Every structure is written in structure tokens, then in C-alpha cells.
Amino acid sequence: MTNFPNPRSRFIPSFFVAVIVLTFISGSASAAWKAGAAKVDITPSEPIWLAGYGSRDRPVSDVLQRIYVKALALQDDSGRVSVLVTSDLLGFTAGLSKGVAERVEKKHGIARAGLAFNASHTHSAPVVGELLRPAYGLGPAHVAPIKRYTEKLEDQVVDVIDKAIGKLKPATLSYEQGLAGFAVNRRRAGRGTKHYPSPVDHDVPVLAVKDSAGKVTAVVFGYACHATVLSGYEISGDWPGWAQEGVESLYPGAVGLFVQGCGADANPLPRRTVELAKRYGATLADAVDQVVKGTMQKVEGNLRVALEHVPLPFQTPPTKEELQWRIKTETSESRKRHAEYILEKLDRDGKLATEYSYPLQVWQFGDDITFIVMAGEVVVDYSLRFKKTYGWNNTWVAGYSNDVFAYIPSERVLHEGGYEGGGAMIPYGQPRPFKAGVEEIIANKVDELVQRVNGQP
Ligand SMILES: [Zn+2]
């Protein structure tokens, strides 16, 4: 099932040796998976500010669709358990992921690398912690519900992981990709920017989980596109919410888990009506259904995991004088809030960050799927690059995972500039855009992790 050309071919001799040895010992090389999936409702119980747009001027007014955090626990042949968490949220913060991971490690003995936290990036879910704080004009009365929601959310994420682990039962896993076409490169859609290259990633990776009777119990599926059809004052999962609802109605009793990909520079277009959000959700659910009903590759072998942080350097941080000047002269409210936010940090810590400790994670499912899990809002170039490097058919690249703290531009996008290239550091409350060279730093670390998981037993 390895696709050529593929640099993993260098691992094949040892893989064959392992197959021969295992076949000799047990008569079969196939892994015995156990899987368990669960979901917990995270719809807020009080009015709260919704995440993602600086233009909103008041908290939520209604619930259009309930939102969830979901978990798929996987136990491989070696007995090791790993858990994928997905959510109808804008993003997990580093603090939330860390809080959950520490509690789960204590309770279940799962190391940090064995937990992956992904958010659908819906712009119709509550603000979590400090995420994008300078983007919003929040008063103290708005901050209190966010604090309460974030604290409760940590308990709910731990709870959904507990529930998924509690449901572990013998399972088979299979994988294949489909296609869906509603993501549009949004940098090209801007006024005067039609000259930008406009890559997109239309792949729909699907991992289907079946019980020993052959019944589908969970479907994990991905797509790379902003969840920004809607921009109003009602809670919903946006199109990923309706896609998951669609998958769950096609496979009654199964949990549908959506994984957001490298959709930082993609928007669902056209947009802004509930009808369109539902239509894109249905389109994706149909794409997933075609894959599940078609011929899928069986996923065998162990699940090997790795997670590491790599420092990404920012450009030279602003001085106190520059920040004070900006507070006095900025005409844009969000730029002014950014300067105040950064000055507060400078006064508190005595210095500003010159780099960000960036988490990268790789899960290798046997020889079948290389799952690259990236933090931040990752532009599509990374997904295309890693698929080209590690194999188009079995490389799955997730963005919006573990810590959403900034956009992650490729070298091309960083050079072109614009919102994804640097402008978004303002609403994210980071001191400056990244320095040139971040793409290579990231690609080198990903390569190191891919090689490491392939070298593991
Ligand atoms: Zn975004």
C-alpha cells in the first residue's frame, strides 16, 4: 500500500523483515486494533462572545446547531492507546491542550504525543481563553463568561477522552481519499490580488472504523477550508457541523469526526447563508459516503507517535516608544488594541518574545497513513508540499491543531505578505510577523519526526 515515489521506501527492508518475523511467530501480520469513539455537547449555557470576527459587537443570541467535542481512542497491537480529539471550535490554545494532556497522562498514562487536538475553525463557536483576544472589543462583562466556558471546556475534553477510552472494542480501520470542490483560495479572491497563485487542497481523507460485526462506528474525515460561511450571532459548527451531522445520519450510531486541514488561505465560496453552510456540509458528507462505500485500504500495523516543539523566529520586536506612539496615533481600533496588548506584555515581562515554541506532531499508522498534525492556521502550501514528499495517497496533513496562535505562512505567502503573510499577527496579539525561513524550519522538523516514527517498532 506504499505509494511510489515515496521516501518511506527506504524503510521497506526493515518492514519486510518485521512482516516475515511476525508471520513466522503468529501466522498473521495484521494488527488487532481496538477503537472507541464518543462525543460531548459543548454548547454554551449562557450568552457569550463568538470567535473569529473582529466585526461582531455583541454576544451570541441563539443556537442554530449544537456544537461538540469528539474523541476517537485507538489501541494498537502493542497495547498503546492514542486519542484524536476533534471539536466545533475556532481553535485549541496551548494552555487548554496542556491542561487536558496533563490530566489525561495522569489518569490513563497516555504521553503527550499520543493526544492530538484539532478544531474545525468554525467562526460560530465561543471565544476560548485568550485566543485572538486583541481582535475583539470585549468589556469585563464579556470576559467572565469566556473564562467560565474555557474552564468547563477543559473538563468536557477530559470527559470525552475518558468516554472514548471506556468504549475501546475490537475494530478494523480503513483509509482512502475522496474529493470535494467548494474551497476557494481566498487570497486570490481579494480586490486587486487576482495575480496571486491560487493553490487549494480538495482532498477528503477518510478513516473508517468498523466493529467486529462490520458496522461503521466512527468516521474521521478531513477537508482544508475556513469554516466561515456564517458570520452572525448564532452558535453552529458552520459547514463542518453540517457535514458531521450528515455523516452521522448516513451511519446511525457512528460518531463523525471532522479534522480541519491546511485551510488558512481557503474560504468556502460563495457564502453567508445558512443554506450554503448546509449545502457544503451535505457535499462533504456525500464525498465521505462515496469513499466509505467504495474500496478502502485496510490500515494495519502499530500507531507510532511523536511530538516536538521547534522555535519559529519573529522579526525584531517593537520598542516601547513605537508601541506608545501607535497607541496615540492608530486609527484602527484593532491595531490600537494590539499595541496596548503588546505594551502590557512588555511592561509585565520586561521583554517581548523573539520566537514561538511551535508544536509539530506525526502519527504513523503502520505503513499506511502518515498523519502530520500542525499547529496554527496553516496555509495550503504545506499540505501540498508534504503530500508531494511523503506520498499523495497516504499523507494526511491537519492544521488548526494543539495550539492555534497565529497563521503559519509558507515562504511564498510570507514573501507576498497580506493577511496570512503577516497582517493576522495583529488580531492574534503576536509582536511581529515571522522571519523568512520558517517553512524550511518546519519542513526539516516534520522530516525528522517522520523518520523517527518510521524507525520505531
Ligand atoms: Zn482563520
Side-chain angles (χ1 to χ4, degrees):
M1 283 175 227
T2 304
N3 295 278
F4 296 94
N6 184 336
R8 275 206 309 268
S9 56
R10 63 181 172 270
F11 303 109
I12 283 190
S14 60
F15 172 74
F16 277 145
V17 172
V19 169
I20 291 160
V21 170
L22 278 174
T23 308
F24 181 72
I25 293 169
S26 64
S28 164
S30 66
W33 292 104
K34 281 185 179 176
K39 61 178 182 178
V40 164
D41 190 326
I42 54 167
T43 311
S45 51
E46 62 178 327
I48 186 168
W49 210 273
L50 296 186
Y53 295 106
S55 55
R56 285 198 183 102
D57 59 6
R58 60 188 188 276
V60 64
S61 61
D62 208 352
V63 178
L64 191 57
Q65 181 184 49
R66 302 198 72 80
I67 55 172
Y68 297 90
V69 64
K70 300 178 179 180
L72 174 67
L74 292 170
Q75 183 175 33
D76 69 10
D77 214 14
S78 74
R80 181 167 49 195
V81 177
S82 305
V83 185
L84 169 68
V85 175
T86 65
S87 62
D88 298 310
L89 289 171
L90 186 100
F92 275 81
T93 61
L96 178 60
S97 301
K98 187 168 182 270
V100 172
E102 284 172 0
R103 288 167 63 180
V104 171
E105 178 156 24
K106 234 181 237 167
K107 239 175 159 171
H108 299 287
I110 300 173
R112 177 64 189 88
L115 293 173
F117 303 97
N118 182 273
S120 72
H121 202 49
T122 174
H123 281 43
S124 297
V127 172
V128 171
E130 291 270 312
L131 212 173
L132 276 173
R133 184 59 64 86
Y136 315 120
L138 301 179
H142 302 128
V143 174
I146 293 171
K147 202 163 172 285
R148 282 193 289 273
Y149 184 78
T150 306
E151 281 167 11
K152 189 176 171 194
L153 183 62
E154 185 183 302
D155 293 341
Q156 290 172 314
V157 180
V158 172
D159 183 35
V160 79
I161 293 172
D162 285 348
K163 287 191 160 91
I165 292 173
K167 288 183 167 181
L168 281 169
K169 282 198 183 79
T172 58
L173 305 187
S174 50
Y175 177 77
E176 194 50 74
Q177 295 185 77
L179 288 162
F182 58 85
V184 177
N185 191 298
R186 71 183 197 184
R187 289 169 64 78
R188 191 161 188 261
R191 190 191 290 267
T193 56
K194 299 243 186 301
H195 58 284
Y196 278 147
S198 53
V200 283
D201 178 359
H202 281 163
D203 288 346
V204 180
V206 180
L207 179 73
V209 181
K210 291 180 182 169
D211 65 15
S212 45
K215 184 176 184 286
V216 176
T217 55
V219 183
V220 188
F221 60 99
Y223 197 58
C225 183
H226 260 74
T228 51
V229 171
L230 301 174
S231 59
Y233 293 86
E234 293 161 314
I235 298 265
S236 84
D238 209 288
W239 60 261
W242 278 288
Q244 291 172 92
E245 249 188 54
V247 167
E248 290 178 359
S249 69
L250 286 164
Y251 299 93
V255 180
L257 303 95
F258 174 73
V259 172
Q260 182 58 271
C262 299
D265 40 354
N267 268 338
L269 295 181
R271 58 180 182 167
R272 298 302 187 228
T273 68
V274 174
E275 188 44 48
L276 284 167
K278 288 183 175 173
R279 193 187 301 169
Y280 299 145
T283 300
L284 191 55
D286 285 345
V288 171
D289 191 37
Q290 281 190 4
V291 173
V292 175
K293 291 203 163 77
T295 307
M296 298 184 79
Q297 308 174 38
K298 210 168 172 195
V299 177
E300 295 175 312
N302 285 343
L303 176 53
R304 287 102 66 192
V305 299
L307 184 146
E308 253 193 43
H309 288 76
V310 62
L312 298 185
F314 291 122
Q315 294 170 19
T316 312
T319 60
K320 188 163 184 156
E321 291 67 37
E322 181 192 324
L323 293 167
Q324 286 167 335
W325 181 78
R326 276 177 49 197
I327 291 167
K328 268 190 232 148
T329 58
E330 285 288 6
T331 49
S332 136
E333 277 304 311
S334 69
R335 294 186 70 84
K336 194 171 171 170
R337 277 199 297 269
H338 172 262
E340 287 166 350
Y341 186 79
I342 298 292
L343 183 61
E344 212 179 289
K345 272 191 179 177
L346 180 58
D347 285 343
R348 191 187 59 215
D349 305 335
K351 60 179 170 39
L352 290 170
T354 55
E355 60 186 36
Y356 194 89
S357 181
Y358 180 65
L360 279 167
Q361 186 173 24
V362 176
W363 284 10
Q364 180 67 42
F365 292 74
D367 205 35
D368 300 319
I369 313 168
T370 304
F371 186 44
I372 299 170
V373 183
M374 302 179 68
E377 299 206 34
V378 186
V379 300
V380 68
D381 294 353
Y382 285 94
S383 163
L384 302 178
R385 175 178 178 152
F386 293 141
K387 288 185 200 192
K388 190 175 176 191
T389 306
Y390 302 110
W392 289 100
N393 292 345
N394 48 12
T395 304
W396 185 341
V397 189
Y400 298 88
S401 301
N402 296 315
D403 179 8
V404 174
F405 67 97
Y407 275 74
I408 308 300
S410 60
E411 222 51 35
R412 170 182 71 82
V413 171
L414 190 60
H415 180 73
E416 288 171 1
Y419 188 71
E420 297 86 359
M425 291 304 199
I426 298 290
Y428 268 109
Q430 299 299 350
R432 283 283 198 237
F434 289 120
K435 261 188 190 166
V438 285
E439 183 176 335
E440 284 317 297
I441 295 173
I442 290 170
N444 288 339
K445 180 54 79 178
V446 165
D447 200 52
E448 192 187 315
L449 296 179
V450 169
Q451 293 202 39
R452 189 184 310 162
V453 291
N454 275 288
Q456 287 174 10

